Amino acid sequence: MLAFLARRVLVAIPTVVLISMLVFGLQHLLPGDPILVMAGEERDPEVIALLREKYRMDDPIPVQYLAWIGNALTGDLGTSLRTQQPVLELIGEKLPVTLQLALMALVVAVCIGIPAGVISAYRKGTWVDWLANLVALSGLSVPNFWLGIMLILLVSVRLGWLPASGYAPFSDDPLRSIQVMAMPAVVLGTGLAATLMRHTRSAMLGVLRADYVRTARAKGLSERRVVIRHALRNALVPVVTVTTILFGELLAGAVLTEQIFTIPGFGKLVVDAVFNRDYAVVQGIVLCTGVAFVAMNILSDALYRVLNPRMGEVA
Amino acid sequence: MTAVDPAAVAPGLDAPDLPPRRSRVWAKLRRNPAAIAGGGIVLFFAAVAVLAPVLPVPGPAEADWSAVRAAPSAAHPLGTDELGRDVLARMVWGAQASLLAGVVSVAIALLLGVPLGVLAGYRRGWIDAVISRFTEALLAAPFLILAIAFAAFLGPSLTNAMIAIGLSAMPLFVRLARGQTMAVMTEDYVESARAIGVGHLATVGRYVLPNIVPPLLVQATLTIATAIIAEASLSFLGLGQQPPAPSWGSMLNVAKNYLEVAPWMALWPGIAIFLVVLGFNLLGDGLRDALDPRDL
């Protein structure tokens, strides 16, 4: 397993280098002098000169890139023009909020998507299957920011059951934190639930036709035991790996959810940074998300091997 | 050397009693009610978008100051917004922005992605390695984050949103075109064509491209759905269509501030996005089933 992980990390290095080049290249999309644009309203020649020196703007582009990546490797992703905080520190502050939201959304998605997928596969061709598929496709088609707005209208404005916005740190008040995050988690989890349902259904359909399931039935095991113990356990292998990759998607989906529910997380940070023209923060976030995505892919491959030891034999 | 068409060398390979492939696909698609419903929804919204200038609705920026945030009525069937503009009219004109963004951004992704993917799959070697690593890097960043980053650096506008979405969707098509090209390249008819001296461009144009179109068509249809949601998301964040020009996403962005007093402002644009995206998803799923070679 260690050798496998080392190989995967080595293969991922060129991808990470290319991500960093892409992120670095973003600043050259800015019209005009990137430093003047990045400096925003700051027009002090000394500050401009300092920024120009820091980003080596008078050097050729490859040298600028090497200086930038060198700083990034030491954890220096630049400083936020708005808050004057180091970008990495800002991301570190906001990430736990988004991770809590993403984890709660994952729980919602797993609780809805996997049972729905199992039932749909088991009842293949019936109205239950048809309905589950329609609901899943609707879940994939509904814009989650609109779903959030509609839920606020119904649950907060009309019924007054849950707060429409705000955030309470889990460490301060766990109950209040879960209560505040419940509606955003449902909104964020809907799309993922639909995706999980489709993956689970497809995996279950394959497994339910397998010989060992027929054997389990022939042994006289109860249908519940056959489906849950024998079929689902095996069908979950690809589902678990897909979920690992989709967790990264949740971080992206959080951008809109956090905006609607005014949650001070990673997503709100990127949107605020865009509007404050705080480009170092935008670059830092894209770089971190990209690297996290690559890491999730490696984790997904490793999980697949752990859950399906035959993969090791093939490799 | 004169290029010879292998199909001409071995005539009669196509079973004479089978209808042409296109008719079989169409016949299968027609038997799928979900796909037909999806196609109908897409056609309806496309007709609304195209016919917007001649439909009997006010202009999208025409304000009726005596009916600010007015509830749905005979005069304004879907109500009015915070400036007294007719919500139905803005929905009709907004359809243009949404559909245009979906189609144009996918066209950008196809135009950039397919040549790169075919090149990688056809030439293999270092060209393939470079293109594949580049694609993986782009795929590593989540679609929306990448689109937001591009839109942020390019500047907020509908055109830049379409470019941003197109660039973000491009790697999907590079990967698909590469994989399909590699599969086609192993077919006997391509090897025969190469063996009798058919040139690279002719091989790609005559044998590779026609065979990779079906999966690209399915992916394009499904990606239009994703692109429409992405455009609505960017406009919702203020990075897409700029006011006063209407788009469903920007209408929702404003509507969220008036939920208590004018909930209809938020209801209809969301339903429109949902329906059109559902339409493209149903059509895409139907096309995938109809074009599945195992069933043809």
Side-chain angles (χ1 to χ4, degrees), chain B residues 220-262:
Chain B
T221 312
L222 294 170
T223 309
I224 290 178
T226 316
I228 288 174
I229 290 202
E231 185 278 327
S233 305
L234 290 178
S235 292
F236 178 74
L237 293 172
L239 291 168
Q241 182 79 298
Q242 295 300 299
S247 104
W248 296 338
S250 56
M251 286 172 78
L252 283 172
N253 185 20
V254 175
K256 74 175 191 298
N257 303 320
Y258 301 97
L259 278 185
E260 285 186 51
V261 287

Side-chain angles (χ1 to χ4, degrees), chain B residues 25-284:
Chain B
V25 169
W26 174 234
K28 238 187 124 190
L29 201 61
R30 265 190 323 192
R31 284 198 302 271
N32 185 340
I36 291 297
I41 295 171
V42 170
L43 272 179
F44 170 75
F45 279 101
V48 167
V50 171
L51 299 174
V54 294
L55 287 176
V57 289
E62 227 169 273
D64 177 357
W65 293 105
S66 63
V68 171
R69 294 195 305 265
S73 63
H76 303 287
L78 303 184
T80 63
D81 68 6
E82 83 288 2
L83 297 174
R85 295 171 300 192
D86 188 74
V87 171
L88 175 65
R90 290 185 66 76
M91 295 262 307
V92 166
W93 289 92
Q96 282 188 344
S98 290
L99 289 180
L100 192 71
V103 173
V104 171
S105 48
V106 170
I108 291 171
L110 276 167
L111 284 173
L112 295 174
V114 173
L116 282 174
V118 171
L119 182 68
Y122 188 85
R123 298 299 296 195
R124 309 294 299 269
W126 68 269
I127 294 180
D128 179 27
V130 170
I131 293 175
S132 295
R133 293 295 87 76
F134 178 68
T135 309
E136 279 167 24
L138 278 172
L139 279 171
F143 186 83
L144 189 61
I145 296 260
L146 199 59
I148 288 175
F150 279 129
F153 281 86
L154 289 167
S157 75
L158 183 64
T159 309
N160 286 347
M162 291 192 285
I163 296 172
I165 298 166
L167 288 174
S168 310
M170 177 189 71
L172 282 176
F173 291 97
V174 176
R175 201 163 63 166
L176 184 62
R178 173 184 175 269
Q180 293 295 321
T181 303
M182 278 162 58
V184 172
M185 290 302 290
T186 61
E187 296 289 344
D188 290 343
Y189 56 84
V190 177
E191 284 182 17
S192 312
R194 298 290 305 131
I196 58 173
V198 177
H200 294 304
L201 276 179
T203 307
V204 169
R206 229 180 282 167
Y207 305 111
V208 177
L209 283 178
N211 283 295
I212 68 170
V213 163
L216 286 172
L217 187 68
V218 173
Q219 186 61 52
T221 312
L222 294 170
T223 309
I224 290 178
T226 316
I228 288 174
I229 290 202
E231 185 278 327
S233 305
L234 290 178
S235 292
F236 178 74
L237 293 172
L239 291 168
Q241 182 79 298
Q242 295 300 299
S247 104
W248 296 338
S250 56
M251 286 172 78
L252 283 172
N253 185 20
V254 175
K256 74 175 191 298
N257 303 320
Y258 301 97
L259 278 185
E260 285 186 51
V261 287
W264 53 86
M265 281 173 64
L267 186 65
W268 304 111
I271 290 179
I273 300 171
F274 168 68
L275 282 178
V276 78
V277 171
L278 183 68
F280 275 107
N281 277 330
L282 287 171
L283 186 62

